[in-house]
Amino acid sequence: MSASAPLKPRVRFAPSPTGYLHVGGVRTAIFNYLFARQHGGTFILRIDDTDTKRNLEEAVKVIIDGMKWVGLDWDEGPEKGGNFGPYYQSQRFDRYKAAAEKLEKSGRAYWAKKQIGDKLPDWKIEKMKKAGKWDEDLAKASQDPNPALYFKIHEGEPQDVTLEDAVWGRYSRPADVLNDYVLLRGDGTPTYNFATVVDDIEMGITHIIRGEDHLANTPKQINLYKALGAPLPQFAHLPMIHNDKGEKISKRRDPVAVTLYQACGLQPEALFNFLALLGWSPGDDREIMTKDEMIAAFTLERIKLAPAQFTLARKRDLKPEADEKERADWLAESLPTTKLEWMNGEYMKKLPLPELVERARPFLAAQGYALDAMPAEKLAQVVKLEQERSRTLRQLAENVKLFFAAPASYDPKAVEKVLKKGDGLAMLKDVRAMLDAQSDWAPHVLEEALKKFVEAKSTKFGNVAQPIRVALSGATVSPPIHDTLAVLGKAEALARIDRALAAVA
RNA sequence: GUCCCCAUCGUCUAGAGGCCUAGGACAGCGGCUUUUCAAGCCGCCAACGGGGGUUCGAAUCCCCCUGGGGACGCCA
C-alpha cells in the first residue's frame, strides 16, 4: 500500500441504480475522475445492482445520462465495455460464487443461520422504525430458513487492522470489533461488502475513492482482500456533504437528484466545478477552473476532512413527498445568493452565444414561447441581451419574456411612477413620433437618436427611457432601451407604445 | 447505547509553530459608473467553539469540555 500513485491507477465509481443520480455521488465520481485523468489511469463505471428488482434499464439510463451531462466520461463500463466486464454486478454472480467457494475451501467462510442473536439491539430497531426502514424485508431475513455464508474475519489469532487512508491518514480498528459478516444471503445473493471487494479485486482497482460512510467497514474488507490473497488497494475516503441545516444530505429533504439542477438551468460545467470544490481546493485562490486545470491540480492529500455544507438559500422546507417538478421549483427558489448560482452565472457569461442559445432553447420552449416563429438571428440577439443579466437558464427564459409577448398588463406602480407622474405620458407621445420618423432601426442609430432627443428636451435619459420601457415590457426593467427597441422591431415597438398610450390615457 | 472521526468569517475555503493586526471567494452592506435591471470597479462588515497545557512564540502540537458527523443489517 503506497501513498504515491502507481503509473496507471484504476479507479471506479459504483452507484446503485435507484432511479436518480445523487449529487453526492457525482462529487465522488468527480474525484475519482480527476484522479484517474491526472495519472493517466482508467476510470470505470460499475453498476452495483445486486439488490435491484425494479426497472433497471431506466435507472441505469438516469445514471449514464446524468454522468454524461455533468461532463464525466468513463473508460470502462456500460456503453463502453472493457476487458474486465461485465460491469453490472447482477451479471457477475458466478464470480461471487467462485470467490465464496474459494473462501469456503480455505476455511475462511462457513454456512450458518443468523447467529449473533435473533434479535437486533433495541436502539437499532428504534432507529430503523424512525427512518422508516423497518420493513418486512428485515423481519423476513431473520426468519429465512436458509443459512447464509459468513466470512470468518480472523484467521488464527484475532488481530487489529490498520490502514493508511490517503485522506484520513492512519485508521485502525481493534480485533474485537471486527465480527464475522455475511457474504452470501440465504437466497444466495451477495452482500455489498462481498460483491464490491470481489469486483474491485477482479477489476484491478488500485484506488478506492468513496464516501466516508464506508470507512468503518474498510478494515473488515481488508481482511477479505487478504483472505482472497489479493493485494490491497489504496483507500481514500471522502468527507460527507451536509445540507444547509448541517445534516447529512438526504433524498427526502434535499434536492439531491442532478436532474433537478439540470431543470433549474444550471450549466454542467458550473456544477462540476462547484462540486469539485466541496471538500477540495487547489491550494491557491483559484475558484473558477476548467476541467483540465482541476485535473492538473488535483491531489487526494488536499481533500479536507471536515464535512462540507452544500448551501442553498432555503426559504421554506422541502416537503418529503414533493415530486420532481415541485423539487425543481423549490431549488430554483433556493438558488439565488448561493455560490453555485454565482458560479453558474460566470459560466453562462463565458459561453459562446450559439452554444448558449442551444442550451436555452428547451427552457424557452418550456415557457411556451413560439420559438419557431422567431428567426434564428433574432433569437440569438434576444439571448445575448440576457446573457449577462441572468444567472441560470431558467431565469434567462423568464427575463426574455417581453421579446415573445407584448405586456398583458402594466405594473401599476410603474405606470404611476413613470407615466402618470410628471410628463411621462407626454414624453412617450413625443418619442413615439420621433421613433416613427426613424428609417434606420439599428441599435446604435436608435441610441444616437434617443440621445439627441433627450438633449433637445433638455431632460435626463431616464425620463425618456423609462416610459418606453414600461410601454414595451409593462415594467421598469429591461435590457438597454435602444437594444430592446431594435430587437423588437419598429412595427412591434410602435404598436406597443400605442397600446400603452391608449391603456393609460 | 457502543466505537470512531471532525471543528477557521453566515457559507465554500487558504493556513502543516514565527510570513497571521488570519488571506481569497460567495452572500450582505456602502460607494463609483449608469438608461432601468444586471455587469464592472472600489470599499466595509465578518472567523481560529471553550478551557487548560507545551513553547521565547500556537489557528497550527497535546489534554479535557462542548458541538457536529459517521459506523455498528442477510441496505448499498
Side-chain angles (χ1 to χ4, degrees):
Chain A
M1 195 162 35
S2 140
S4 62
L7 264 17
K8 298 271 178 180
R10 291 174 59 82
V11 299
R12 106 273 127 131
F13 173 55
S16 183
T18 52
Y20 64 97
L21 182 60
H22 195 290
V23 284
V26 172
R27 190 191 60 150
T28 302
I30 287 172
F31 285 176
N32 273 285
Y33 173 87
L34 292 176
F35 183 79
R37 290 290 172 268
Q38 181 181 59
H39 295 102
T42 306
F43 176 49
I44 297 158
L45 175 62
R46 185 178 72 217
I47 305 297
D48 278 12
D49 58 346
T50 55
D51 195 41
T52 313
K53 300 127 197 144
R54 292 158 291 184
N55 36 346
L56 177 63
E57 229 172 287
E58 182 75 15
V60 170
K61 189 177 184 310
V62 170
I63 290 169
I64 289 176
D65 290 349
M67 298 265 296
K68 282 185 184 167
W69 180 70
V70 295
L72 252 15
D73 56 90
W74 50 100
D75 309 303
E76 294 175 24
E79 292 195 344
K80 281 280 162 95
N83 296 329
F84 296 79
Y87 295 92
Y88 289 79
Q89 290 195 323
S90 58
Q91 292 168 24
R92 302 175 62 84
F93 278 25
D94 52 328
R95 328 261 170 150
Y96 311 135
K97 209 158 284 173
E101 275 165 23
K102 185 177 167 190
L103 289 167
E104 227 186 316
K105 267 189 200 132
S106 64
R108 288 304 297 276
Y110 58 91
W111 294 93
K113 289 220 37 174
K114 190 159 183 64
Q115 58 154 215
I116 313 162
D118 284 322
K119 245 186 105 190
L120 286 160
D122 293 341
W123 64 264
K124 179 73 190 178
I125 293 171
E126 266 320 295
K127 202 176 166 187
M128 287 203 294
K129 278 182 179 164
K130 237 174 156 181
K133 284 182 179 173
W134 183 250
D135 45 22
E136 305 305 303
D137 222 42
L138 200 96
K140 244 185 253 162
S142 60
Q143 290 163 15
D144 192 337
N146 299 315
L149 185 69
Y150 279 78
F151 176 49
K152 192 177 162 202
I153 199 151
H154 295 294
E155 179 167 45
E157 274 304 294
Q159 284 188 324
D160 300 352
V161 175
T162 299
L163 69 125
E164 293 293 336
D165 189 278
V167 349
W168 293 79
R170 176 158 301 188
Y171 180 84
S172 107
R173 307 254 65 204
D176 61 356
V177 306
L178 300 173
N179 298 318
D180 292 359
Y181 60 95
V182 173
L183 303 176
L184 294 178
R185 301 186 184 96
D187 63 5
T189 58
T191 59
Y192 166 81
N193 276 315
F194 185 43
T196 358
V197 171
V198 171
D199 288 342
D200 287 340
I201 290 171
E202 295 197 0
M203 291 184 176
I205 304 301
T206 59
H207 292 69
I208 296 183
I209 303 169
R210 47 146 64 149
E212 190 224 293
D213 44 346
H214 293 289
L215 181 58
N217 276 328
T218 305
K220 288 183 164 192
Q221 294 182 5
I222 283 179
N223 277 12
L224 188 49
Y225 271 90
K226 288 179 179 163
L228 286 166
L232 289 178
Q234 169 73 56
F235 290 96
H237 288 89
L238 272 21
M240 302 276 84
I241 297 179
H242 288 175
N243 66 14
D244 49 297
K245 292 178 167 181
E247 305 160 325
K248 184 178 173 184
I249 196 165
S250 107
K251 184 195 173 186
R252 285 158 58 79
R253 294 182 307 264
D254 305 306
V256 297
V258 289
T259 46
L260 263 25
Y261 295 81
Q262 208 169 355
C264 282
L266 290 180
Q267 305 308 302
E269 298 86 353
L271 188 62
F272 187 112
N273 194 157
F274 178 80
L275 254 15
L277 256 24
L278 230 43
W280 174 78
S281 78
D284 48 39
D285 288 338
R286 283 180 295 170
E287 305 237 51
I288 307 266
M289 299 173 76
T290 64
K291 203 183 283 181
D292 285 342
E293 286 169 335
M294 288 186 262
I295 289 169
F298 188 77
T299 63
L300 292 172
E301 290 70 26
R302 288 203 57 81
I303 290 170
K304 204 187 149 183
L305 282 79
Q309 270 190 224
F310 191 135
T311 313
L312 292 170
R314 186 187 293 259
K315 295 196 180 64
R316 59 189 166 95
D317 276 338
L318 181 59
K319 290 195 212 95
E321 69 276 13
D323 64 21
E324 177 95 3
K325 187 188 175 301
E326 285 172 308
R327 281 169 187 271
D329 290 345
W330 184 93
L331 214 210
E333 260 176 54
S334 306
L335 239 24
T337 75
T338 63
K339 196 163 194 165
L340 173 57
E341 196 201 52
W342 162 76
M343 198 172 263
N344 196 65
E346 297 299 305
Y347 274 91
M348 273 176 66
K349 277 185 237 165
K350 281 190 200 164
L351 229 45
L353 188 56
E355 175 68 18
L356 182 62
V357 171
E358 279 322 298
R359 293 191 187 192
R361 241 196 185 92
F363 291 86
L364 298 170
Q367 290 285 328
Y369 301 150
L371 281 182
D372 297 339
M374 186 178 280
E377 199 184 329
K378 185 175 173 184
L379 179 61
Q381 289 172 343
V382 166
V383 170
K384 188 179 180 189
L385 287 181
E386 278 300 331
Q387 181 164 22
E388 237 185 25
R389 268 165 258 272
S390 309
R391 284 183 153 189
T392 67
L393 289 175
R394 194 191 253 234
Q395 286 169 18
L396 184 146
E398 285 162 9
N399 294 346
V400 99
K401 184 170 184 186
L402 81 147
F403 295 105
F404 289 93
S409 65
Y410 300 92
D411 174 19
K413 264 194 202 158
V415 170
E416 190 57 40
K417 198 175 152 198
V418 176
L419 293 179
K420 291 196 169 163
K421 220 163 95 182
D423 53 355
L425 262 188
M427 198 65 88
L428 186 57
K429 266 179 213 157
D430 288 354
V431 219
R432 194 230 177 265
M434 183 278 280
L435 291 171
D436 196 13
Q438 286 297 319
S439 52
D440 190 343
W441 201 253
H444 65 279
V445 174
L446 288 173
E447 187 176 15
E448 281 314 306
L450 284 166
K451 273 188 184 154
K452 232 180 257 167
F453 179 85
V454 168
E455 221 169 283
K457 288 278 180 185
S458 57
T459 184
K460 290 202 290 186
F461 203 106
N463 291 335
V464 175
Q466 286 305 75
I468 303 176
R469 201 162 259 131
V470 174
L472 298 183
S473 74
T476 52
V477 177
S478 87
I481 203 64
H482 57 272
D483 286 327
T484 308
L485 284 166
V487 172
L488 233 28
K490 185 172 180 180
E492 176 65 15
L494 292 180
R496 286 194 191 182
I497 291 175
D498 289 338
R499 223 169 303 149
L501 285 169
V504 174

